[in-house]
Amino acid sequence: MTTPVIQTRSLTRTFRSGRRTVEAVRGLGLEVAQGELVAFLGPNGAGKSTTLRMLTTLLPPTSGTAHVAGHDVVTEQYAVRRAIGYVGQGNGAGHQQHGRDELVSQARAHGLSRSAARARAAELIEDLDLGAVAHRKALSLSGGQRRRLDIALGLVHTPRVLFLDEPSTGLDPQNRANLQDLVRRLHADTGSTVVLTTHYLEEADALAERVVVVDHGR
């Protein structure tokens, strides 16, 4: 059998709030196969983003284990980060930076040569229809344009696994539909595993091959 690209066992994360212990994620057991498009669906505060932060090494688990692309998220963080792309809820590009420059810098940070980084940036600008805004500062872009740029930044090193944390939040219906089309196309073209979080039922239904319902950390 093929080893899952994401595998968790009793994954748990707690936080202290005053004298209380809050269980944000409670004993999550999950397997995701290579090439799947999976949605974590649940209300705000359900534990979706906390789960993604653990899977992307941004937050250590309190207990339990998680492996991404065959690597432990605690003891092999560097290897996990080389295998994944992560698009958080905030804007990934610097406000005063031009889109093309941010893509080139991100590619260079992942070890691409200067010429390869420029070529990869040009490829993503064309694929994600960013040509008209590549030389504009990120601060001047619309919500939909910024989300496309964020996704381009997450894809610059052709990750094996792409994590999208509520990618369409704050977008108008037309831009949300455009973003859904983009995610479908990227998944079909690259064969990458895509895991996204959302609290929109219709978005999970429209996009995902499998939906994992998360509520109260379970």
Side-chain angles (χ1 to χ4, degrees), residues 75-130:
T75 62
E76 301 175 281
Q77 292 186 355
Y78 180 74
V80 171
R81 291 172 183 176
R82 287 184 62 85
I84 67 171
Y86 174 63
V87 179
Q89 294 184 33
N91 295 305
H95 291 341
Q96 300 299 324
Q97 302 302 312
H98 293 166
R100 183 184 299 274
D101 293 343
E102 284 287 76
L103 288 168
V104 171
S105 296
Q106 184 84 340
R108 293 285 286 155
H110 279 284
L112 276 69
S113 68
R114 194 177 303 277
S115 60
R118 287 197 294 263
R120 180 60 175 154
E123 180 182 9
L124 287 167
I125 287 168
E126 180 177 355
D127 288 348
L128 275 70
D129 193 24
L130 290 167

Side-chain angles (χ1 to χ4, degrees), residues 8-124:
T8 73
R9 291 288 182 267
S10 302
L11 189 65
T12 300
R13 176 68 201 197
T14 61
F15 296 96
R16 293 293 296 174
S17 177
R19 296 184 178 181
R20 278 193 319 128
T21 297
V22 178
E23 291 184 297
V25 178
R26 301 192 284 172
L28 178 67
L30 178 71
E31 291 189 355
V32 177
Q34 178 65 43
E36 275 196 282
L37 200 169
V38 176
F40 289 177
L41 173 67
N44 291 330
K48 306 184 303 296
S49 294
T50 301
T51 299
L52 251 63
R53 288 174 64 81
M54 288 190 285
L55 294 177
T56 57
T57 77
L58 296 175
L59 189 68
T62 302
S63 62
T65 62
H67 290 79
V68 177
H71 304 290
D72 188 284
V73 299
V74 174
T75 62
E76 301 175 281
Q77 292 186 355
Y78 180 74
V80 171
R81 291 172 183 176
R82 287 184 62 85
I84 67 171
Y86 174 63
V87 179
Q89 294 184 33
N91 295 305
H95 291 341
Q96 300 299 324
Q97 302 302 312
H98 293 166
R100 183 184 299 274
D101 293 343
E102 284 287 76
L103 288 168
V104 171
S105 296
Q106 184 84 340
R108 293 285 286 155
H110 279 284
L112 276 69
S113 68
R114 194 177 303 277
S115 60
R118 287 197 294 263
R120 180 60 175 154
E123 180 182 9
L124 287 167

